[in-house]
Amino acid sequence: MGVDITGILPTLYEHFTSQGIESGLSDAQSDFKLNSKPLKIFSGALHYFRAHPLYWRDRLKKYRAAGLNCVETYVPWNIHEPEDGSFDFGEHPDRNDFSLFLDLVQFLKIAQEEDLFVILRPGPYICAEWEFGGLPSWLLRHEDLKVRTSDSKFLFYVERYFKKLLALVEPLQFTKGGSIIAVQIENEYGNVKEDDKPIDIAYLEALKDIIKKNGIVELLFTSDTPTQGFHGALPGVLATANCDKDCGLELARLESYQPTKPLMVMEYWTGWFDHYSEKHHIQTVEQFYANLSDILMGHASFNLYMMHGGTNWGFLNGANICGATDDNSGFQPDTSSYDYHAPLAENGDYTDKYVQLQQLTAEYNELCISQPAPPEPTFREIYPEIDIIGELSLDDLIKQAQHVIQSEKLLPMEKLDINNNSGQSYGYIVYRKENIDIQAGSTLKIEGHVCDTVIVLINGKLVSNVFNSEEDLNGFGYWRAKDSLLNLGSENYQSATLDLVVENFGRVNYGKLYQFNQHKGLWQGNVLINDRIVSDWKIIPLEFKKKWNQTLTDWKTPTFLNGPRLYRAVLTIDSEPQDTYIDFKGWNKGVVIVNGFVLSRYFKIGPQQSAFLPAPFLKEGDNEILMFEHLVPGTFIDFCGNPYFQTMGDGRILRTLLC
């Protein structure tokens, strides 16, 4: 009802709990009731793992100031159990680079402090354009395990994880004095439906039983797109809708499925995510206003997906795929930026959609409660460009590698016996063949598809092609080509060292069940030279974990030669650090690492052309910034104050400043 500056109006929690708590969220009638009082849910998604924890409170304050009364979040299994049986909910920064982001309990408590209820979506599969849809890659070490099914082997790991997770959130349910008012079962399970096969209802029932057995008493629900069918729903469990247009039609179909239940759009898509090589997705303010108005005029509750997108830190972007994953030709990796063209930008800025949201929530809000004023915008600094002062070649990195595995045959990264027998999840894997003779004019062949990119070197010199245009994605070195061929040049080599550097560009997060075969590296066939199989490999994982990144030594004077190299620069800050962006102009493809933490991928094909760098990743004094460049390096690192998105065509890069 507007901003309350007098303190006369009650808070959200005061309104619903001042006379005690007797019941949670109810769907037993056509409109939601919470503790027997009517509630229209105005919610927005905020993934705690996509925002720096020091900014959680700022973002949540902005949610409440927009008129929202609820925040929704997923829970990513893969970073909460990074190794088989090893859990992290913020306790292990010494072992897990992402531990910083994982204090879910603290996030849920801050949400309550900021006068917001919580919708929790624990998975085990979350999609979310997140690596492997939140599933841990070590599951792939079990050849006969079938993810997202009632397979007992899969459910064993799910139940073990949920027992740990739900024990933490169980005391934070609304009816126990906490913030959680609803919990989702799986995620968009109706989308696994194949025309000739029923979905695995036993799987959903098993998840429901596990959730209840572990003390969850709040309202359970599922979410799917109603016009695609009612496949992912469970009898007696509230179904909700996902859509970004024709929301009235989706709600009408939902109402036809469950005519006596409240209507809710669990995901109103406020924008969309970007794949590399696409243009940046934009949903206009007019479209946003019209769609959200349709939902509100339909007397439905809503959750904005996303209200604030945030960032796919490190190597944790997901991907889409067309066809089976072992084909990989339809692979579409997501960018590190998850801006989503949401009402709050990746950097936390207010947008025109935010203003429209404030107007709509004020118009349709039925609660007479206080609403805070929006926090002040965050200042950003444009730091001066810094020169590259050090370089490590691929061979230098391998000399400092933590693991070198001898193997007669090629292995995917998940099958490496490292990380407490959990395999390699992220980063790069190098297949090295030593003491090999290569005749002039020889042809290298990689059978099947590369998962996902490959760089070829002989004696440390790049022999594969430099990326210049989108057309190059169809040729050797990238995921689209099958049984791809590379001419190794006109030189004769004696006792040479052949290196194949393969990148995991993000496991697929969405699709049919047969598309969840997610092995990364070279695993679909042999590597041949002149049709003769190459065997007896050294396999070296390059995971770029923070502890390793910070202990690298023997930096050389930069040569700026083409090929995979790690470059070092130092940003000196003589005052309190501020948010900024790293500008990728002049660089080709790779990752940027700030004070040991892998911040973002970059790829000149776009659309993302800069990386958001929050101030908490920086410190007063010297800050080490590393660029692991695949192909053609820049000679300096530049900064900017706003995000750039780009499109690439005819060899030209067109840069667009998104303010």
Side-chain angles (χ1 to χ4, degrees), residues 495-526:
S495 301
T497 296
L498 172 70
D499 286 315
L500 308 179
V501 185
V502 182
E503 171 195 26
N504 169 6
F505 208 170
R507 292 182 183 85
V508 174
N509 59 262
Y510 174 86
K512 304 298 183 184
L513 294 181
Y514 63 81
Q515 293 173 314
F516 279 80
N517 183 17
Q518 296 286 296
H519 295 293
K520 293 297 182 177
L522 301 180
W523 58 276
Q524 296 187 11
N526 294 301

mmCIF file of all heavy atoms in Angstrom, residues 495-526:
data_model
loop_
_atom_site.group_PDB
_atom_site.id
_atom_site.type_symbol
_atom_site.label_atom_id
_atom_site.label_comp_id
_atom_site.label_asym_id
_atom_site.label_seq_id
_atom_site.Cartn_x
_atom_site.Cartn_y
_atom_site.Cartn_z
ATOM 1 N N SER A 495 59.686 -37.955 -32.034
ATOM 2 C CA SER A 495 59.551 -38.012 -30.563
ATOM 3 C C SER A 495 58.846 -36.765 -30.032
ATOM 4 O O SER A 495 59.273 -36.131 -29.059
ATOM 5 C CB SER A 495 60.916 -38.160 -29.898
ATOM 6 O OG SER A 495 61.559 -39.334 -30.340
ATOM 7 N N ALA A 496 57.767 -36.427 -30.671
ATOM 8 C CA ALA A 496 57.037 -35.203 -30.340
ATOM 9 C C ALA A 496 56.066 -35.434 -29.182
ATOM 10 O O ALA A 496 55.774 -36.573 -28.788
ATOM 11 C CB ALA A 496 56.281 -34.702 -31.565
ATOM 12 N N THR A 497 55.562 -34.330 -28.651
ATOM 13 C CA THR A 497 54.502 -34.360 -27.637
ATOM 14 C C THR A 497 53.238 -33.759 -28.255
ATOM 15 O O THR A 497 53.241 -32.601 -28.702
ATOM 16 C CB THR A 497 54.890 -33.568 -26.386
ATOM 17 O OG1 THR A 497 56.022 -34.196 -25.769
ATOM 18 C CG2 THR A 497 53.743 -33.529 -25.389
ATOM 19 N N LEU A 498 52.193 -34.570 -28.291
ATOM 20 C CA LEU A 498 50.899 -34.152 -28.820
ATOM 21 C C LEU A 498 49.961 -33.883 -27.643
ATOM 22 O O LEU A 498 49.779 -34.740 -26.778
ATOM 23 C CB LEU A 498 50.314 -35.250 -29.714
ATOM 24 C CG LEU A 498 48.867 -35.064 -30.198
ATOM 25 C CD1 LEU A 498 48.782 -33.930 -31.217
ATOM 26 C CD2 LEU A 498 48.342 -36.377 -30.811
ATOM 27 N N ASP A 499 49.376 -32.694 -27.597
ATOM 28 C CA ASP A 499 48.426 -32.336 -26.543
ATOM 29 C C ASP A 499 47.069 -32.012 -27.154
ATOM 30 O O ASP A 499 46.972 -31.229 -28.124
ATOM 31 C CB ASP A 499 48.903 -31.110 -25.762
ATOM 32 C CG ASP A 499 50.052 -31.419 -24.830
ATOM 33 O OD1 ASP A 499 49.978 -32.447 -24.136
ATOM 34 O OD2 ASP A 499 51.022 -30.630 -24.796
ATOM 35 N N LEU A 500 46.032 -32.607 -26.582
ATOM 36 C CA LEU A 500 44.648 -32.277 -26.925
ATOM 37 C C LEU A 500 44.010 -31.697 -25.665
ATOM 38 O O LEU A 500 43.815 -32.408 -24.676
ATOM 39 C CB LEU A 500 43.881 -33.514 -27.382
ATOM 40 C CG LEU A 500 44.509 -34.369 -28.490
ATOM 41 C CD1 LEU A 500 43.615 -35.566 -28.806
ATOM 42 C CD2 LEU A 500 44.759 -33.545 -29.741
ATOM 43 N N VAL A 501 43.710 -30.410 -25.687
ATOM 44 C CA VAL A 501 43.142 -29.714 -24.528
ATOM 45 C C VAL A 501 41.640 -29.593 -24.742
ATOM 46 O O VAL A 501 41.189 -28.902 -25.659
ATOM 47 C CB VAL A 501 43.772 -28.322 -24.353
ATOM 48 C CG1 VAL A 501 43.257 -27.665 -23.070
ATOM 49 C CG2 VAL A 501 45.291 -28.413 -24.339
ATOM 50 N N VAL A 502 40.872 -30.285 -23.894
ATOM 51 C CA VAL A 502 39.417 -30.351 -24.072
ATOM 52 C C VAL A 502 38.737 -29.596 -22.935
ATOM 53 O O VAL A 502 39.086 -29.753 -21.765
ATOM 54 C CB VAL A 502 38.921 -31.802 -24.133
ATOM 55 C CG1 VAL A 502 37.420 -31.850 -24.368
ATOM 56 C CG2 VAL A 502 39.654 -32.563 -25.240
ATOM 57 N N GLU A 503 37.752 -28.802 -23.308
ATOM 58 C CA GLU A 503 36.999 -27.972 -22.361
ATOM 59 C C GLU A 503 35.607 -28.547 -22.121
ATOM 60 O O GLU A 503 34.905 -28.902 -23.065
ATOM 61 C CB GLU A 503 36.867 -26.560 -22.942
ATOM 62 C CG GLU A 503 35.931 -25.636 -22.180
ATOM 63 C CD GLU A 503 35.549 -24.406 -22.984
ATOM 64 O OE1 GLU A 503 35.580 -24.475 -24.240
ATOM 65 O OE2 GLU A 503 35.211 -23.389 -22.373
ATOM 66 N N ASN A 504 35.218 -28.634 -20.857
ATOM 67 C CA ASN A 504 33.809 -28.827 -20.507
ATOM 68 C C ASN A 504 33.161 -27.456 -20.544
ATOM 69 O O ASN A 504 33.396 -26.611 -19.682
ATOM 70 C CB ASN A 504 33.687 -29.460 -19.118
ATOM 71 C CG ASN A 504 32.252 -29.443 -18.591
ATOM 72 O OD1 ASN A 504 31.316 -29.067 -19.290
ATOM 73 N ND2 ASN A 504 32.074 -29.849 -17.344
ATOM 74 N N PHE A 505 32.290 -27.229 -21.521
ATOM 75 C CA PHE A 505 31.662 -25.920 -21.725
ATOM 76 C C PHE A 505 30.294 -25.845 -21.030
ATOM 77 O O PHE A 505 29.541 -24.924 -21.269
ATOM 78 C CB PHE A 505 31.506 -25.666 -23.227
ATOM 79 C CG PHE A 505 31.526 -24.221 -23.642
ATOM 80 C CD1 PHE A 505 31.591 -23.887 -24.983
ATOM 81 C CD2 PHE A 505 31.485 -23.194 -22.725
ATOM 82 C CE1 PHE A 505 31.607 -22.572 -25.405
ATOM 83 C CE2 PHE A 505 31.503 -21.868 -23.120
ATOM 84 C CZ PHE A 505 31.563 -21.555 -24.465
ATOM 85 N N GLY A 506 29.972 -26.826 -20.192
ATOM 86 C CA GLY A 506 28.718 -26.804 -19.446
ATOM 87 C C GLY A 506 27.857 -28.006 -19.783
ATOM 88 O O GLY A 506 27.533 -28.227 -20.949
ATOM 89 N N ARG A 507 27.471 -28.768 -18.770
ATOM 90 C CA ARG A 507 26.594 -29.926 -19.016
ATOM 91 C C ARG A 507 25.157 -29.472 -19.239
ATOM 92 O O ARG A 507 24.705 -28.480 -18.668
ATOM 93 C CB ARG A 507 26.678 -30.921 -17.858
ATOM 94 C CG ARG A 507 28.022 -31.615 -17.755
ATOM 95 C CD ARG A 507 28.059 -32.634 -16.638
ATOM 96 N NE ARG A 507 29.402 -33.232 -16.529
ATOM 97 C CZ ARG A 507 30.403 -32.705 -15.851
ATOM 98 N NH1 ARG A 507 30.216 -31.580 -15.185
ATOM 99 N NH2 ARG A 507 31.583 -33.284 -15.833
ATOM 100 N N VAL A 508 24.454 -30.233 -20.036
ATOM 101 C CA VAL A 508 23.075 -29.913 -20.392
ATOM 102 C C VAL A 508 22.196 -29.935 -19.143
ATOM 103 O O VAL A 508 22.295 -30.841 -18.312
ATOM 104 C CB VAL A 508 22.557 -30.909 -21.447
ATOM 105 C CG1 VAL A 508 21.087 -30.684 -21.734
ATOM 106 C CG2 VAL A 508 23.386 -30.790 -22.724
ATOM 107 N N ASN A 509 21.339 -28.926 -19.012
ATOM 108 C CA ASN A 509 20.496 -28.794 -17.828
ATOM 109 C C ASN A 509 19.025 -29.084 -18.088
ATOM 110 O O ASN A 509 18.212 -29.045 -17.150
ATOM 111 C CB ASN A 509 20.614 -27.389 -17.242
ATOM 112 C CG ASN A 509 20.209 -26.300 -18.234
ATOM 113 O OD1 ASN A 509 21.081 -25.712 -18.862
ATOM 114 N ND2 ASN A 509 18.925 -26.023 -18.390
ATOM 115 N N TYR A 510 18.658 -29.364 -19.337
ATOM 116 C CA TYR A 510 17.233 -29.475 -19.664
ATOM 117 C C TYR A 510 17.051 -30.472 -20.798
ATOM 118 O O TYR A 510 17.877 -30.535 -21.708
ATOM 119 C CB TYR A 510 16.686 -28.107 -20.103
ATOM 120 C CG TYR A 510 15.260 -28.128 -20.613
ATOM 121 C CD1 TYR A 510 14.194 -28.022 -19.732
ATOM 122 C CD2 TYR A 510 14.988 -28.250 -21.975
ATOM 123 C CE1 TYR A 510 12.887 -28.048 -20.196
ATOM 124 C CE2 TYR A 510 13.689 -28.277 -22.437
ATOM 125 C CZ TYR A 510 12.637 -28.176 -21.551
ATOM 126 O OH TYR A 510 11.349 -28.214 -22.000
ATOM 127 N N GLY A 511 15.972 -31.236 -20.742
ATOM 128 C CA GLY A 511 15.665 -32.106 -21.866
ATOM 129 C C GLY A 511 14.982 -33.390 -21.457
ATOM 130 O O GLY A 511 14.565 -33.568 -20.311
ATOM 131 N N LYS A 512 14.869 -34.286 -22.421
ATOM 132 C CA LYS A 512 14.322 -35.616 -22.167
ATOM 133 C C LYS A 512 15.347 -36.442 -21.390
ATOM 134 O O LYS A 512 16.532 -36.117 -21.363
ATOM 135 C CB LYS A 512 13.982 -36.309 -23.486
ATOM 136 C CG LYS A 512 13.032 -35.526 -24.388
ATOM 137 C CD LYS A 512 11.667 -35.302 -23.744
ATOM 138 C CE LYS A 512 10.726 -34.574 -24.705
ATOM 139 N NZ LYS A 512 9.427 -34.262 -24.069
ATOM 140 N N LEU A 513 14.891 -37.523 -20.811
ATOM 141 C CA LEU A 513 15.789 -38.313 -19.970
ATOM 142 C C LEU A 513 16.971 -38.862 -20.757
ATOM 143 O O LEU A 513 18.083 -38.969 -20.226
ATOM 144 C CB LEU A 513 15.008 -39.454 -19.311
ATOM 145 C CG LEU A 513 13.938 -39.009 -18.298
ATOM 146 C CD1 LEU A 513 13.251 -40.223 -17.697
ATOM 147 C CD2 LEU A 513 14.533 -38.140 -17.203
ATOM 148 N N TYR A 514 16.776 -39.181 -22.035
ATOM 149 C CA TYR A 514 17.883 -39.736 -22.818
ATOM 150 C C TYR A 514 18.943 -38.679 -23.127
ATOM 151 O O TYR A 514 20.026 -39.007 -23.622
ATOM 152 C CB TYR A 514 17.369 -40.364 -24.119
ATOM 153 C CG TYR A 514 16.705 -39.409 -25.082
ATOM 154 C CD1 TYR A 514 17.453 -38.608 -25.937
ATOM 155 C CD2 TYR A 514 15.321 -39.305 -25.142
ATOM 156 C CE1 TYR A 514 16.854 -37.733 -26.822
ATOM 157 C CE2 TYR A 514 14.697 -38.436 -26.025
ATOM 158 C CZ TYR A 514 15.464 -37.654 -26.860
ATOM 159 O OH TYR A 514 14.852 -36.785 -27.721
ATOM 160 N N GLN A 515 18.645 -37.409 -22.835
ATOM 161 C CA GLN A 515 19.614 -36.347 -23.098
ATOM 162 C C GLN A 515 20.504 -36.045 -21.895
ATOM 163 O O GLN A 515 21.268 -35.086 -21.912
ATOM 164 C CB GLN A 515 18.872 -35.081 -23.532
ATOM 165 C CG GLN A 515 18.183 -35.240 -24.884
ATOM 166 C CD GLN A 515 17.302 -34.048 -25.238
ATOM 167 O OE1 GLN A 515 16.533 -33.574 -24.408
ATOM 168 N NE2 GLN A 515 17.419 -33.561 -26.451
ATOM 169 N N PHE A 516 20.423 -36.852 -20.856
ATOM 170 C CA PHE A 516 21.205 -36.593 -19.655
ATOM 171 C C PHE A 516 22.456 -37.475 -19.568
ATOM 172 O O PHE A 516 22.949 -37.757 -18.492
ATOM 173 C CB PHE A 516 20.331 -36.753 -18.408
ATOM 174 C CG PHE A 516 19.491 -35.529 -18.136
ATOM 175 C CD1 PHE A 516 18.319 -35.302 -18.835
ATOM 176 C CD2 PHE A 516 19.904 -34.594 -17.211
ATOM 177 C CE1 PHE A 516 17.557 -34.174 -18.606
ATOM 178 C CE2 PHE A 516 19.151 -33.450 -16.966
ATOM 179 C CZ PHE A 516 17.972 -33.246 -17.671
ATOM 180 N N ASN A 517 22.959 -37.898 -20.723
ATOM 181 C CA ASN A 517 24.244 -38.598 -20.782
ATOM 182 C C ASN A 517 25.326 -37.533 -20.947
ATOM 183 O O ASN A 517 25.592 -37.077 -22.050
ATOM 184 C CB ASN A 517 24.249 -39.579 -21.960
ATOM 185 C CG ASN A 517 25.532 -40.377 -22.022
ATOM 186 O OD1 ASN A 517 26.268 -40.429 -21.056
ATOM 187 N ND2 ASN A 517 25.804 -40.977 -23.161
ATOM 188 N N GLN A 518 25.944 -37.157 -19.846
ATOM 189 C CA GLN A 518 26.656 -35.884 -19.781
ATOM 190 C C GLN A 518 28.169 -35.984 -19.688
ATOM 191 O O GLN A 518 28.809 -35.079 -19.166
ATOM 192 C CB GLN A 518 26.142 -35.124 -18.560
ATOM 193 C CG GLN A 518 24.683 -34.753 -18.648
ATOM 194 C CD GLN A 518 24.447 -33.632 -19.609
ATOM 195 O OE1 GLN A 518 24.913 -32.515 -19.415
ATOM 196 N NE2 GLN A 518 23.743 -33.922 -20.680
ATOM 197 N N HIS A 519 28.772 -37.051 -20.153
ATOM 198 C CA HIS A 519 30.228 -37.169 -20.036
ATOM 199 C C HIS A 519 30.936 -36.068 -20.832
ATOM 200 O O HIS A 519 30.487 -35.675 -21.914
ATOM 201 C CB HIS A 519 30.687 -38.537 -20.536
ATOM 202 C CG HIS A 519 30.184 -39.674 -19.692
ATOM 203 N ND1 HIS A 519 30.588 -39.871 -18.392
ATOM 204 C CD2 HIS A 519 29.292 -40.668 -19.952
ATOM 205 C CE1 HIS A 519 29.985 -40.930 -17.893
ATOM 206 N NE2 HIS A 519 29.188 -41.428 -18.827
ATOM 207 N N LYS A 520 32.044 -35.604 -20.282
ATOM 208 C CA LYS A 520 32.806 -34.526 -20.917
ATOM 209 C C LYS A 520 34.241 -34.979 -21.178
ATOM 210 O O LYS A 520 34.825 -35.749 -20.411
ATOM 211 C CB LYS A 520 32.809 -33.289 -20.027
ATOM 212 C CG LYS A 520 31.433 -32.643 -19.887
ATOM 213 C CD LYS A 520 30.902 -32.126 -21.214
ATOM 214 C CE LYS A 520 29.562 -31.441 -21.059
ATOM 215 N NZ LYS A 520 29.063 -30.875 -22.325
ATOM 216 N N GLY A 521 34.794 -34.443 -22.271
ATOM 217 C CA GLY A 521 36.140 -34.822 -22.702
ATOM 218 C C GLY A 521 36.064 -35.560 -24.023
ATOM 219 O O GLY A 521 35.190 -35.314 -24.866
ATOM 220 N N LEU A 522 36.978 -36.495 -24.232
ATOM 221 C CA LEU A 522 36.978 -37.371 -25.410
ATOM 222 C C LEU A 522 36.600 -38.769 -24.935
ATOM 223 O O LEU A 522 37.330 -39.381 -24.175
ATOM 224 C CB LEU A 522 38.354 -37.384 -26.076
ATOM 225 C CG LEU A 522 38.893 -36.031 -26.551
ATOM 226 C CD1 LEU A 522 40.273 -36.204 -27.188
ATOM 227 C CD2 LEU A 522 37.936 -35.352 -27.518
ATOM 228 N N TRP A 523 35.452 -39.257 -25.392
ATOM 229 C CA TRP A 523 34.973 -40.546 -24.884
ATOM 230 C C TRP A 523 34.116 -41.302 -25.894
ATOM 231 O O TRP A 523 33.727 -42.436 -25.659
ATOM 232 C CB TRP A 523 34.152 -40.333 -23.602
ATOM 233 C CG TRP A 523 32.961 -39.427 -23.772
ATOM 234 C CD1 TRP A 523 32.963 -38.063 -23.716
ATOM 235 C CD2 TRP A 523 31.604 -39.809 -24.020
ATOM 236 N NE1 TRP A 523 31.704 -37.561 -23.918
ATOM 237 C CE2 TRP A 523 30.844 -38.618 -24.103
ATOM 238 C CE3 TRP A 523 30.950 -41.028 -24.177
ATOM 239 C CZ2 TRP A 523 29.466 -38.621 -24.346
ATOM 240 C CZ3 TRP A 523 29.583 -41.028 -24.412
ATOM 241 C CH2 TRP A 523 28.855 -39.836 -24.491
ATOM 242 N N GLN A 524 33.845 -40.680 -27.043
ATOM 243 C CA GLN A 524 32.918 -41.300 -27.994
ATOM 244 C C GLN A 524 33.615 -42.173 -29.024
ATOM 245 O O GLN A 524 32.954 -42.808 -29.848
ATOM 246 C CB GLN A 524 32.096 -40.205 -28.688
ATOM 247 C CG GLN A 524 31.211 -39.440 -27.719
ATOM 248 C CD GLN A 524 30.285 -38.480 -28.418
ATOM 249 O OE1 GLN A 524 30.143 -38.496 -29.640
ATOM 250 N NE2 GLN A 524 29.634 -37.631 -27.649
ATOM 251 N N GLY A 525 34.921 -42.206 -29.000
ATOM 252 C CA GLY A 525 35.666 -43.019 -29.960
ATOM 253 C C GLY A 525 37.153 -42.825 -29.746
ATOM 254 O O GLY A 525 37.599 -42.358 -28.696
ATOM 255 N N ASN A 526 37.910 -43.163 -30.755
ATOM 256 C CA ASN A 526 39.363 -43.082 -30.674
ATOM 257 C C ASN A 526 39.890 -41.781 -31.269
ATOM 258 O O ASN A 526 39.183 -41.073 -31.995
ATOM 259 C CB ASN A 526 40.002 -44.254 -31.436
ATOM 260 C CG ASN A 526 39.697 -45.586 -30.785
ATOM 261 O OD1 ASN A 526 40.022 -45.804 -29.624
ATOM 262 N ND2 ASN A 526 39.069 -46.487 -31.531
#
